[in-house]
Amino acid sequence: MHPHLDPPQARPDRPHARLGSPLARSSSPLSRRGFLGLGVVATAGFTLDGPLLSTGPVATAPSPSAGWFARPRRAVRPVVRWWWPDAHVDPAEIRREVDQLADAGFGGAEIAAVHHSIRDKSVLDPAAHGWGTPAWSTAVEAALDQAARRGITIDLTIGPSWPAAVPSITPESEAACKELAHGSVPVAPGATYTGPVPPPTVDGRPERTLLLVQAARIDPAHSTRDETGLDPASVRNVTVVGETITWTAPEEGDWLLISYWQRGSGQRPESGPHTAPECYVVDHFSRAGTQAVIDFWESTLLTPAIRRLLRRSGGALFEDSIEIETDALPWTPHLPEEFERRRGYALAPFLPVIVLADEDPVFAYDPVLTRHARKDYWDTVSKLFNEHHFTMLRDWAHSLGLGSRAQPYGLQTDAIAAAAILDVPEGESLGFKNLDDYRCLAGGRDVAGHEVLSSEAGAYQGGAYTTTWEKLLRTMGGAYAAGLNQTVLHGFSYATAPGAGWPGFAAFTPYNGTTGYAESWGPRQPTWHHITDISGYFARVHLITRQGTPRADVAVLRQTGYTKTGIGASWFTASGIPTGWTHQFISGALLDLPSARVVNGRLARPAYKALFVEGDRFYANECTMTTAVAGKLLAYARAGLPIVLLGAWGSASVPGVPRDGENARLRAILADLLAEPAVRMVTAAADVPAALDALGVRPDVRYATTSTLLTLRRVDGDVDYYYLCNGKHQENAKPPVAPIDHEVTLARTARDGVPYLLDPWTGRAERIALYTEEPDGIRLRVTLQPSQARIVAIARPGLFGPSNPSVPSAPSGDKGGRRVHATGTDADLVRFDGERLTVRAAQAGTYTTTLSNGRPVTTTIGPVPSPIPLTSWRLRVTDWRPDAKVTHSVDLDGLVPWSQIPELADVSGLGTYTTTVELSGSGAYLELGEVTDTCRVRVNGRRTDPVDQIHPVLDLGRHLRRGTNTIEVEVATPLGNRLRVADPAVYGGLARQPYGLMGPVRLVPYGEAPANGSGP
């Protein structure tokens, strides 16, 4: 629910530029902090005629022009996960649902065979209606054909549910997912063991192949609570005859015989069966596993019609998170050969410290050797995964006219490198611990020169039918500042399925008999009535965060490219971001890309100003680096790139088991690196900012205070775009994010660039009137409520000008379209109104405004009515029930949630609040206070611009008339309150939620007059 607005605040005079929001509950609601938080005010009023989103595909990203921001192109609209109960679907309904999505302003849908909510699988018919059957192909053809007609795209998941699986293999097939399981038996000093090879300690499939048996002496000095220490020098192979061992231990020490068994994991995709015969997960580390996927698609799924339609409306081939489930060690049959070829030494002597049981290590050598051997193993697996799986699938997808999109995490592999391979890497709001998880994928995307970073958005556990759009918007706001620019909603369920009750099939609820994961958006939800406001907001944010090329201040080099860990960067995550710095993560593999070069002292496409290197955060913070990476860093430093190293890099080592002389070669390169004038080494994180300052590195965004402001910069030619959000680094941040109100300096590319405010809710753009020009940027004031976001563009005068009805043309005689602007005022607000500066205030008085030419001007505002509380309303509610929709009417003398109105206590649906108010003719703001969930406003029968669902305050402008004005607020709710009584077996445990307009609501009048004259 929306928080109450702030209590009255003092308004100290501030003779500097302001960009804020008329939102504080004070005697002066504008509070002069006001422009950014509210949005564009000069033309605030009613929506543009026609759809707010363009209706056809656009092949290239257009430049700013009339309608460019108001009506974003199809490619930047949000996408949904579209869950089908396998092929238990009707092609006619499929076409209807494509229409529903297109009409709602979505740009695409991802078809996924998912039905976790169906616990009784006997109602399904995988032979006739499973994934990949003719019925499936017919439904896919219908979706692709209708999508082509409506100008949206369809993505296809690589298999049913997840991970990637096909029905053409068995667990014993070469292409099937494999694991390495170990067994062991102790042998006393000098004793002889005669008996069977030790069986696996972890249960699994009975079909297995013995790979090797070793003997190793126990070394208590290296034992831990969880791992048995071994002497690496003692490890030796043991001869096996048939399945029997006869082996005598040396006289010194206790020994173990360790066996290694290769076997199929037998893993199947989630919540099957989806096919007959059943699917099994493929080997993600071998060409054979990926080829099995390709072969099944080529032979079975890709009908001639689907092949043709994919060229018209196909989007991407998608793979969900790589959840390889094994209690042993993930494996592939050719791993020993690949390991030795890539690492230069045999894997077998190190198998004891690599094997896993129940996902945990079992044995250990000395800590350093153990750590380095495990690092080499997982780096090898990572290379195989990225080469044999993602690269192969990407190239094959391209041959079909599709892109490749995937969540490249779930294993101990280099997700940053994978993000550079994929056309569209994807993260998730559910599993990502904080914004640095997104920044890892953004680094790979941007260095590789790709455009889109996607996110599976809104999969809240236990949130089915209770999730609000406000919650989703608050979750995602900060992620856009971390590089996210495609929202894939989780999700949109097909209408029905065998055994599904009201309000229809939902892929993830019920879940184990109770309320499942959010959410099944769509026409079944009352809030869908307002969906174009939401989809328009997402589309405009995506548009800006894809425009031009990215900028980030610092690249953080990771020796290990994991994500979905929540582990950030020293100093930058905790201290740099709150003071304006931006960063991304890169891994060593990215430095091999052609774009990873230094030009004019900047690195790669994001134009990183500096490179930061610290110890490996996933391997004991050890200062490790390959000689190849060290050589590249030396070349970068000599090309003028500032580099800061944190830690004892003079004694660094290579990350894996070193070859002869390898550490010495590394240290020699690092000695040369540390001698470069562009390089600083510090021993404490607190010394990082001083090192950056000494190297002349400053952030693009600067402010003098510590702030929760999150920023993203994009540069398109000489235009700078800034996404600004008052967000949080992680979902459950404490203390909670508070409103912000402070000055910010934004770097600009064009020396004559002037600032514009772009409102992602309304699609309007307006030249900002109040700011200060500095030698390297624009200084203005930012006021944002928690999770609220706005966009600032800095561009040549007139860019959003005459062709945009929201932005007045430059006044005649104003050279180059530049106008005199304000640099300070004691009024609440200064804005451009056509060709003149206009002052706004909520109280009568004479106000002084300082112009950019140094001249002060005064403005007199006449009497302004006091704020008007709106407490009496007529409420009409449409109650959504399983069997019908019922209407309730209630007269209210005060606003309270529906849960406190007896006849509405368990109601979900649409409610319209109506009131009238007498006005003398001034403009006014409408403050709605708390609302659950979405809302729209009509004044005198005309719909206003979309409401900022995070902070619902509207400038009603001059559209209010003298005399009686009628105000209507339509509120849409989730379905949870109705479901808790309609289906108590599943949803009865839900708490009753406060729905409706709860306020307090008030109109706050204001007066306006030209900055060089007086008002009435």
Side-chain angles (χ1 to χ4, degrees):
M1 290 170 288
H2 300 293
H4 287 287
L5 303 177
D6 298 329
Q9 300 279 337
R11 295 192 300 120
D13 290 338
R14 292 173 176 147
H16 40 52
R18 303 181 177 284
L19 191 66
S21 173
L23 304 178
R25 290 196 176 278
S26 64
S27 58
S28 174
L30 302 181
S31 73
R32 288 194 303 107
R33 299 201 277 264
F35 199 54
L36 182 58
L38 178 67
V40 176
V41 297
T43 58
F46 302 100
T47 52
L48 302 173
D49 293 335
L52 289 178
L53 297 169
S54 60
T55 56
V58 177
T60 57
S63 298
S65 62
W68 168 81
F69 186 62
R71 298 180 175 88
R73 64 189 188 275
R74 185 268 304 161
V76 301
R77 300 182 204 169
V79 179
V80 298
R81 294 246 196 288
W82 189 10
W83 297 308
W84 293 7
D86 294 337
H88 291 270
V89 296
D90 176 11
E93 174 61 24
I94 291 295
R95 290 181 182 274
R96 281 192 293 271
E97 293 184 8
V98 170
D99 287 343
Q100 290 166 0
L101 290 168
D103 292 342
F106 287 85
E110 166 210 310
I111 298 173
V114 177
H115 45 64
H116 285 59
S117 61
I118 301 177
R119 306 311 299 172
D120 180 7
K121 301 301 183 182
S122 67
V123 303
L124 302 174
D125 181 4
H129 295 281
W131 178 81
T133 60
W136 175 268
S137 297
T138 298
V140 171
E141 289 172 13
L144 288 166
D145 180 67
Q146 193 66 15
R149 296 171 187 267
R150 295 304 309 271
I152 71 173
T153 58
I154 296 294
D155 292 359
L156 300 173
T157 56
I158 197 171
S161 198
W162 68 91
V166 289
S168 54
I169 62 174
T170 69
E172 283 65 55
S173 298
E174 178 189 8
C177 184
K178 299 294 189 296
E179 62 187 13
L180 188 70
H182 85 284
S184 66
V185 62
V187 183
T192 298
Y193 173 84
T194 299
V197 175
T201 58
V202 174
D203 292 337
R205 294 185 62 82
E207 298 86 354
R208 61 195 187 212
T209 300
L210 181 65
L211 185 70
L212 180 68
V213 176
Q214 294 176 326
R217 184 175 62 83
I218 296 175
D219 185 351
H222 296 142
S223 292
T224 67
R225 184 179 62 182
D226 301 314
E227 301 174 17
T228 300
L230 301 176
D231 175 9
S234 71
V235 176
R236 61 202 66 183
N237 293 345
V238 174
T239 301
V240 179
V241 178
E243 293 190 0
T244 302
I245 300 173
T246 298
W247 182 77
T248 301
E251 295 290 340
E252 295 181 0
D254 294 313
W255 290 75
L256 288 175
L257 287 172
I258 306 172
S259 59
Y260 305 94
W261 299 91
Q262 178 180 288
R263 65 192 182 195
S265 71
Q267 184 179 357
R268 291 170 289 188
E270 287 272 336
S271 193
H274 298 274
T275 58
E278 283 201 66
C279 288
Y280 287 95
V281 175
V282 300
D283 183 352
H284 285 56
F285 312 133
S286 72
R287 295 186 63 86
T290 304
Q291 192 63 49
V293 173
I294 295 172
D295 289 347
F296 183 78
W297 276 72
E298 291 283 353
S299 65
T300 305
L301 292 176
L302 295 174
T303 66
I306 288 178
R307 287 180 186 271
R308 183 180 68 256
L309 288 165
L310 286 175
R311 299 283 178 177
R312 295 178 58 201
S313 58
L317 191 70
F318 173 68
E319 184 168 8
D320 213 323
S321 53
I322 314 302
E323 298 176 16
I324 303 299
E325 295 176 355
T326 172
D327 290 328
L329 181 72
W331 188 256
T332 188
H334 299 293
L335 211 157
E337 294 89 341
E338 289 285 355
F339 184 95
E340 186 164 4
R341 181 174 70 84
R342 296 166 186 265
R343 301 300 155 193
Y345 66 92
L347 174 62
F350 296 90
L351 277 176
V353 299
I354 293 169
V355 293
L356 302 175
D358 297 324
E359 301 184 353
D360 292 320
V362 182
F363 307 110
Y365 299 154
D366 72 82
V368 173
L369 182 59
T370 299
R371 186 165 61 243
H372 285 228
R374 291 172 181 169
K375 170 71 171 167
D376 274 346
Y377 176 81
W378 287 109
D379 281 356
T380 302
V381 169
S382 180
K383 290 284 189 182
L384 296 175
F385 177 51
N386 284 337
E387 291 174 13
H388 295 332
H389 192 71
F390 281 143
T391 301
M392 280 184 66
L393 286 176
R394 178 203 64 192
D395 293 347
W396 173 65
H398 289 178
S399 75
L400 301 173
L402 299 173
S404 61
R405 177 168 62 90
Q407 296 178 350
Y409 48 83
L411 295 168
Q412 297 180 54
T413 54
D414 189 346
I416 297 174
I421 295 168
L422 297 162
D423 297 306
V424 180
E426 181 168 291
E428 60 179 274
S429 63
L430 175 66
F432 275 22
K433 307 298 190 299
N434 56 43
L435 299 185
D436 277 332
D437 287 340
Y438 287 107
R439 293 185 181 103
C440 290
L441 299 182
R445 174 201 63 183
D446 289 343
V447 175
H450 301 312
E451 178 180 289
V452 179
L453 171 59
S454 182
S455 178
E456 174 188 316
Y460 304 106
Q461 185 176 9
Y465 295 118
T466 61
T467 294
T468 63
W469 285 105
E470 182 200 0
K471 179 175 182 177
L472 180 61
L473 291 164
R474 290 186 183 278
T475 295
M476 303 311 297
Y480 301 120
L484 170 66
N485 55 17
Q486 175 172 281
T487 306
V488 180
L489 292 178
H490 186 280
F492 185 97
S493 294
Y494 180 77
T496 188
W502 186 80
F505 165 69
F508 291 100
T509 190
Y511 197 87
N512 293 329
T514 188
T515 307
Y517 286 84
E519 184 64 276
S520 283
W521 303 111
R524 71 184 67 186
Q525 297 266 13
T527 56
W528 199 254
H529 280 249
H530 303 155
I531 190 59
T532 54
D533 297 353
I534 304 293
S535 63
Y537 175 85
F538 284 133
R540 294 182 192 102
V541 170
H542 297 165
L543 172 68
I544 295 302
T545 53
R546 296 189 201 179
Q547 195 71 12
T549 56
R551 290 290 184 270
D553 296 323
V554 175
V556 177
L557 179 62
R558 278 264 159 96
Q559 298 90 334
T560 303
Y562 300 162
T563 192
K564 199 182 175 184
T565 66
I567 296 177
S570 294
W571 190 78
F572 286 98
T573 294
S575 302
I577 292 171
T579 53
W581 289 89
T582 59
H583 67 272
Q584 292 181 341
F585 296 90
I586 63 175
S587 64
L590 268 59
L591 304 185
D592 293 327
L593 296 174
S595 62
R597 56 195 182 94
V598 175
V599 178
N600 297 325
R602 302 289 183 91
L603 175 62
R605 181 169 172 259
Y608 301 121
K609 301 176 183 180
L611 183 66
F612 175 69
V613 189
E614 60 179 328
D616 192 330
R617 298 296 295 273
F618 302 98
Y619 285 88
N621 290 312
E622 188 177 3
C623 290
T624 60
M625 188 180 295
T626 66
T627 56
V629 168
K632 289 183 181 295
L633 266 57
L634 179 58
Y636 292 162
R638 289 173 174 171
L641 178 70
I643 299 176
V644 176
L645 299 102
L646 170 62
W649 287 93
S651 57
S653 64
V654 297
V657 176
R659 304 182 189 185
D660 290 342
E662 196 171 14
N663 280 339
R665 291 192 296 273
L666 171 68
R667 291 163 188 167
I669 298 171
L670 290 175
D672 291 341
L673 176 67
L674 293 171
E676 290 294 319
V679 177
R680 297 289 187 277
M681 184 173 71
V682 297
T683 58
D687 298 328
V688 169
L692 292 168
D693 187 64
L695 293 169
V697 182
R698 303 175 72 193
D700 285 340
V701 179
R702 301 192 305 279
Y703 34 89
T705 184
T706 298
S707 174
T708 50
L709 180 64
L710 301 170
T711 68
L712 177 86
R713 183 188 184 194
R714 306 278 299 191
V715 178
D716 186 12
D718 60 355
V719 182
D720 299 285
Y721 295 96
Y722 288 92
Y723 171 82
L724 310 175
C725 178
N726 181 18
K728 49 191 175 183
H729 182 59
Q730 59 191 39
E731 181 70 18
N732 298 313
K734 293 183 179 179
V737 173
I740 59 172
D741 177 14
H742 59 78
E743 289 192 319
V744 174
T745 298
L746 306 175
R748 62 177 173 179
T749 302
R751 294 185 62 185
D752 64 343
V754 298
Y756 297 85
L757 182 65
L758 280 61
D759 188 331
W761 284 105
T762 66
R764 300 183 185 275
E766 182 182 1
R767 171 87 177 267
I768 295 170
L770 187 59
Y771 62 94
T772 299
E773 293 187 285
E774 297 188 342
D776 57 349
I778 296 289
R779 178 162 52 92
L780 40 76
R781 195 168 194 88
V782 171
T783 297
L784 290 172
Q785 297 297 304
S787 300
Q788 193 178 18
R790 285 293 179 263
I791 295 159
V792 172
I794 302 177
R796 60 176 173 79
L799 179 64
F800 297 98
S803 62
N804 188 330
S806 297
V807 184
S809 59
S812 58
D814 199 357
K815 184 177 180 180
R818 292 183 63 84
R819 285 176 279 188
V820 171
H821 62 272
T823 59
T825 187
D826 57 3
D828 295 323
L829 185 78
V830 180
R831 65 181 184 86
F832 282 116
D833 182 9
E835 299 183 0
R836 65 185 183 183
L837 287 172
T838 296
V839 166
R840 178 178 293 184
Q843 294 179 347
T846 298
Y847 299 92
T848 300
T849 300
T850 303
L851 304 181
S852 54
N853 60 13
R855 184 166 65 93
V857 295
T858 60
T859 303
T860 299
I861 301 290
V864 179
S866 299
I868 305 169
L870 302 180
T871 56
S872 297
W873 298 81
R874 176 72 172 173
L875 171 60
R876 182 180 176 87
V877 174
T878 302
D879 178 359
W880 289 31
R881 299 183 178 185
D883 52 350
K885 292 181 180 178
V886 177
T887 300
H888 307 271
S889 294
V890 182
D891 290 319
L892 301 174
D893 292 328
L895 291 170
V896 295
W898 294 1
S899 55
Q900 295 181 22
I901 302 172
E903 59 264 49
L904 303 180
D906 291 310
V907 169
S908 295
L910 288 163
T912 300
Y913 294 77
T914 304
T915 192
T916 58
V917 61
E918 298 292 324
L919 293 173
S920 59
S922 66
Y925 293 98
L926 176 64
E927 300 175 346
L928 294 178
E930 294 186 36
V931 188
T932 299
D933 178 29
T934 58
C935 62
R936 280 179 173 171
V937 174
R938 299 175 71 87
V939 177
N940 298 322
R942 299 176 62 194
R943 208 180 99 191
T944 68
D945 280 338
V947 178
D948 182 340
Q949 303 294 332
I950 293 291
H951 194 59
V953 176
L954 280 170
D955 178 10
L956 301 185
R958 300 186 181 95
H959 295 277
L960 293 168
R961 61 195 180 200
R962 291 181 182 273
T964 302
N965 291 265
T966 300
I967 298 174
E968 299 170 89
V969 182
E970 182 183 70
V971 178
T973 78
L975 281 177
N977 281 2
R978 175 53 64 194
L979 277 167
R980 63 187 297 274
V981 294
D983 190 358
V986 176
Y987 302 102
L990 294 176
R992 184 180 286 148
Q993 298 298 309
Y995 292 162
L997 175 63
M998 290 157 278
V1001 179
R1002 67 175 188 166
L1003 270 180
V1004 184
Y1006 56 76
E1008 285 192 311
N1012 58 350
S1014 60

